[in-house]
Amino acid sequence: MFKQLPNDAAEKVEVILNQQTVLVPLGTTVAAMALAQGLRATRTTPVSGAKRAPFCMMGVCYDCLMIIDGQANQRACATYVRQGMQVETQQGVGPLLGDVL
Amino acid sequence: MMKTDVLIIGAGLIGASTALQLAMRGCRCIVIDKDSPGRHASGANAGGLRQLNRDPAEIPLTVEAAKMWRNIEALVDSDCDIRFSGQLRLAENQSDMDKLEQRAAMVRDMGYQHEEMIGKKELYQLVPALSPHCVGALICREDGYGRPYHALTAFRRKAEALGVTFHSSTEAYTIEQEGEGWQVRTSQGTFSSQILVNCTGAWAGQLAGLMNEPVSLTAKALMLMVTERLPHFVDPVMGAASRKLSFKQMQNGTLIIGGALIAKLDFALEQTEIDWHQLAKSANTVVDFFPQLKDVRIVRAWAGIEGFMPDNIPVIGASQTMKNAYHAFGFSAHGFQLSPVVGRIMAQLILEGRSELPIEPFSIGRF
Amino acid sequence: MKNHYQLLIIGGGPAGLAAAVTAANQGVSCALLDEQPAPGGQIYRSIESVPEQRAQTLGAEYRRGKELAAAFRECNVDYFSETRVWSLNREREVGVLHKDKSKIITADQILVASGAIERPVPFPGWTLPGVMQAGAGQILFKSAGVIPDDGVVLAGSGPLLLLLAWQYMQVGVEIKAMLDVTPLSNNLLAMPKLPKALLAHHYLTKGLVYQRDLKRAGVVTKIAVSDLRAEGEDNLHAVCYRHLGREHRIETDLLMTHFGVIPHIWLTQAAGCKHQWDKSQQCWRPQHDKWGNTSIEGILVAGDGAGINGAKSAEHAGRLVALQALFALGVLSQEERNKQSANERKCMQSERHIRPFLEAYFAIPQTILATPDKDTIVCRCEEITAGQIREAVANSHADSNQVKYLSRCGMGACQGRQCANAVAHIVADAGGQPVSAKSHFRGRPPVAPLTLQQLASLEEQR
C-alpha cells in the first residue's frame, strides 16, 4: 500500500513492530512507519471490533491509536519512533492494566 | 393561551417524573422548560443510584425509590440502562472504620437493613484492583447507577405517551395567581393552569421568588470527568469515608470520576469553568486508590448546574403561602435516585392532599 | 517555562511563526507553544529536516516555509516544542503539558494560531483502513517520504486534491483516478467571483498547470461524480461512484479524500470565544475584528484557525495580529501599529482575492455534508450512524447536544472533531433548521486527553 522513499542522510533506529524488528529513519512517526511496513489496520475499535487505520495523520481523529511501549491508546501519528520502541496493534480497549486488573 | 390542570416548570427528571405520575392518574399536564429537557443537572449528573450514606430524613424515600428503580421497566418501558452493582464507601484507616460503623448502627437503629459493614477480605473480593491500603467499607449491595439522560428520556417519553406535552425554550417571565389558579407568561405565550409545580432545580430560588415565596437556594456547578474506555475491572460505585471521591466504571468501560468538586460558576450567564486544581487533587485521589490507572486518559470534563439547600436536603411539598402551588427542588446533587418516588409523592400531594411517606423534613417552611 | 508571559502564541504554523518573529526583540516576554517537534505546522511540516530533493518535489510554496522557520529560529522567543495545550479559559489561563508534566500558565495576550483540520465528511465506507484524508497523504510524504506503492484513487473537491495528485505524479505514484465531486452547478455560482479572483491569478494559473500536467500524464479525471462509496470487509477493496448516470467501480486498496479544510476551533471554543457559522466557508470560525481580537479580551486569532485563507495570508495575519498584541501591551502606539501593519494588511487582502471564488467553486453540496445514507458511520469514535442521529432528532432530541447526550456521538477520544460538522448538518437537515452557531457541540475540556498522572502533576506547581 505504501513505501518509504530512501533517505540516506537520516539516522536509522530499530523499532519492534508486532514482534518484528524494523529499521526506520529517525523523524518518522509511528503511524508512517506502520503504514510503510505494510500494516493495513493499526487497531480495532472498542465498540464493534471494526478495523481502523491512520486517517488524518495530524493528531485530530484519534483513529491511529496503538500500544506503544506497553501503553494503549497512543496516537501513532503524533508519536515519533525511538530506538528500541515497541509498537503493537491495539485490539479494542487494549490490554488489562497491571497485574490485579 | 394554553390551558391545563397542572403546569410543571422544569423538564428535568423530577419534573418529568411528577408529570408521569400525574398523567398515570388521569391528570392533564404540561411541562415547560427554559432550555431543553435535562439541559442541566438531570443531563449532567453522575447517574448514581444510591441509598448509601443518605441524610436520615431521606432514608424512607430512598428505600422506596430503590424498589421503584428495581422495577423501572414496568413504570417507563425502559430499563434506563441501569446496573445494580452496589455502592461502597471506603475506609482507609481505623478512624474511617469507626465513622462508618457508627453510621451503619444508626441506620440499623432506624430499622433499615440496606447499609452494612464489610471487612478487608470481602472488600478485596469485591474490588481486587483496589490499592491494598484500604481496611473495609460501608456497602449497600442494592445500589448501582444508570444513565441520567436515558432515564430522563424514558420518563419523558412515557409521560408523552400518556398525553403530557413538553415545551422547550419556554422561559417563565411572570407568575400570577388568577382566582384559584395560575397564569404564567412565558417566552412562548401564556399558560394557564389550576396547579403550579416548581421543579426548576438551580433556578427554583428565582421561580419561588416569582411566586412570592423566597427560599434560600444556592446554585453550584459540580464537576465530573470521564476517561477513555478501559477493560472492565470494577463493578461497585465507590466513595471514600474521608476523601472527596465518586468513582465508577460505566457500562461502556469509561470511568466517571467526581465527588462534590465545585467548578467556577457565573450563574447569570450559565457559564461554568473547570477548576483544574481541584480535578488534579481528584486525579491524585483516584491514583491513590487505583495506582494502575495513572496512565489512563481523561477525555472530557464538565460541570452541571444544580440547586443546593443550606441543609443539603431538598424541598418537597406544598407551598406554605399559596394554594395550588407545589415545590420539588434543591436536591443538592443527589436527586437522581429519589426522582421516581418524588414524582409519586407529588402526584399524591396534588391529587389527594397526602403523602404515603414522611415529607415534613422537606417543607419549604423549615428555615 | 515561566508562569506568566506578556504574549503567548499557540501554534507553530505560518501565523504563529510570523507572529513570533514580529513580537521578538520588542522587549516583551513571549513564548510559542507547539505540539510538533519542529516549527512549520502542518503546511510546512518537517520543513527543517526534509531532504532537498523531496522539498523540490513538494514545490516552491512548501519551500517558502524554510525562510520562515529560519527567521523564527533566529528570533528571541521562548519556544516550547512537543508541548500540548489542553485548556484555555476566559481568564487567559492556559493548561499546558510539557515533558509529561502539566502546568497552568497565564498571559496578558494570547494568540491562538491553531490552524486548520481537513473537513471530515462521512460517506459509506470512510472508516475502512485504506481510506485516508488527502492531507494525511501529504503529511506522510512531507514528514517521512512515505508514498503509495500500488496506486491511489483521489476523490473529493478542492485545490489540495489537485496539488497532491501533482506532487504524487512527480515521484511516480500511479493515480488510478481523480474523482471530483464538485457539482457543475458550482461553476455558475463561482463565475461572478472570478474577476476578483483574477487579481490573484497566479493561484489560478498554477491550478491550470497542474491540471494540464496530470492530463498529459494520462491521469483519468471524472468530474461531477456522485454517490462516492468505499467498499471492503476489513480493508478497502474498491471505490464505487456514479458518473453521467452510470455506476462505476475501481479496485484499489487506497483512497484519499479531500473536502476542503475548516478552522480548528477547539481551543477558542474551550475559552468561550463567540463563534459564528460561516456560510461561504461551510464551517464555524471564531468571531474576530480586523485586528484579530476575539470576543474575549486578550485572546486573539490569526491564520486558518480564524477562518480559512491559506498559508500566505496566515503569515501576514500573524504579523498583523502580533502588532495588535504589542499595541495592547503598550509597546507600540496606535499610530505605530497602524503604520507597521499597513503593508501586511494589504498583502493579506491581496492573498484573499481568490477565496470567494474558491469557496463558491468548491462548495460541498448539502447532500454530501448531510449524508442521506442511514448506515454511514458519522461519529468514528463511538460508531454512531447518520440513521441514529436522524432518529434521535425525530424523537425530539432537537439539537446537536441533545443528540450527543442520547447517542454518545461526539463523546469519543477525538472530542467530536471528526463529527461535529456532520452532526450539525444532519441535525439541521432532519429538523428543517439551518446550521447555526448553536449547532456545535458544547466544548468539553481538556482539549486534548491528559492522563490522571499528568493531571495530578498540576498540584506540584503549587
Side-chain angles (χ1 to χ4, degrees), chain B residues 149 229 296 298-301, chain C residues 382 396-397 411 415 445 450 452:
Chain B
Y149 191 77
R229 291 169 194 257
V296 166
I298 303 296
V299 296
R300 209 160 61 247
Chain C
E382 297 293 323
S396 65
H397 301 278
M411 286 195 186
Q415 298 265 40
L450 201 61
L452 283 169

Side-chain angles (χ1 to χ4, degrees), chain C residues 91-110:
Chain C
E91 272 90 55
R92 297 190 300 277
E93 294 168 331
V94 186
V96 173
L97 183 71
H98 180 63
K99 296 191 182 310
D100 221 30
K101 296 272 187 225
S102 58
K103 189 168 170 159
I104 288 177
I105 64 173
T106 55
D108 299 318
Q109 297 284 310
I110 295 173

Side-chain angles (χ1 to χ4, degrees), chain B residues 15 44 61 132 141 146 161 169 173 181 184 225 233 251 271 311 344:
Chain B
L61 275 63
R141 299 176 202 273
S169 307
Y173 292 147
V184 179
M225 50 184 171
F233 76 100
Q251 299 87 338
Q271 274 170 358
D311 52 4
R344 200 163 84 192

Side-chain angles (χ1 to χ4, degrees), chain A residues 1-7 27-29 31-33 35-36 40-41 43 45-63 65 71 75 77-78 80, chain C residues 35-37 42 45 51 84 116-117 126-127 129-133 136 139-141 143-150 234-235 253-254 256 264 380-383 413-414 417-418 449:
Chain A
M1 196 167 61
F2 284 101
K3 65 181 175 196
Q4 188 159 22
L5 296 170
N7 179 4
T28 305
T29 62
M33 178 272 296
L35 291 170
R40 303 248 18 209
R43 69 160 180 148
T45 64
V47 178
S48 72
K51 290 187 176 173
R52 291 285 173 86
F55 180 67
C56 79
M57 285 301 293
M58 56 182 287
V60 292
C61 80
Y62 291 76
D63 241 328
L65 302 178
Q71 298 228 0
R75 283 180 295 171
C77 79
Y80 287 79
Chain C
E35 197 171 2
Q36 297 293 326
Q42 299 302 337
R45 188 135 163 193
R84 196 181 300 163
I117 62 172
W126 76 310
T127 55
V131 182
M132 300 178 89
Q133 292 180 317
I139 289 165
L140 280 168
F141 190 7
S143 67
V146 170
I147 57 171
D149 203 8
D150 312 309
D234 282 343
N235 304 300
D253 63 4
L254 193 57
M256 289 182 185
H264 191 195
R380 298 174 66 96
C381 300
E382 297 293 323
E383 298 183 58
C414 92
R417 283 167 174 84
Q418 294 298 303

Side-chain angles (χ1 to χ4, degrees), chain C residues 369-387:
Chain C
L369 293 172
T371 178
D373 177 58
K374 66 179 174 46
D375 296 326
T376 295
I377 287 174
V378 173
C379 171
R380 298 174 66 96
C381 300
E382 297 293 323
E383 298 183 58
I384 306 301
T385 63

Side-chain angles (χ1 to χ4, degrees), chain B residues 36-40 43-44 147 149-150 153 156-157 160 168 225-229 252 254-255 257 264 271 273-284 286-287 293-303, chain C residues 84 86-91 93 104 270-272 381-382 395-397 399 401-408 410-413 415 442-459 461-462:
Chain B
S36 56
R39 164 66 184 88
H40 291 286
R147 286 171 69 186
Y149 191 77
H150 279 64
T153 298
R156 172 171 69 81
R157 297 199 67 185
E160 283 173 340
S168 292
M225 50 184 171
V226 60
T227 68
E228 60 201 355
R229 291 169 194 257
N252 63 10
T254 58
L255 301 175
I257 299 165
K264 294 171 232 170
Q271 274 170 358
E273 193 84 73
I274 296 295
D275 179 343
W276 292 108
H277 289 286
Q278 271 206 66
L279 287 190
K281 266 188 216 153
S282 177
N284 251 321
V286 169
V287 174
L293 298 180
K294 68 182 172 54
D295 295 318
V296 166
R297 262 158 292 271
I298 303 296
V299 296
R300 209 160 61 247
W302 68 92
Chain C
R84 196 181 300 163
W86 48 266
S87 153
L88 173 66
N89 67 18
R90 59 185 61 244
E91 272 90 55
E93 294 168 331
I104 288 177
C381 300
E382 297 293 323
N395 287 327
S396 65
H397 301 278
D399 64 41
N401 285 294
Q402 290 176 67
V403 171
K404 173 178 163 181
Y405 276 11
L406 186 77
S407 70
R408 291 190 57 80
M411 286 195 186
Q415 298 265 40
R442 276 187 289 277
R444 293 288 194 233
V447 173
L450 201 61
T451 68
L452 283 169
Q453 185 167 252
Q454 287 164 347
L455 175 56
S457 72
L458 196 56
E459 286 305 280
Q461 191 188 352
R462 289 211 143 172

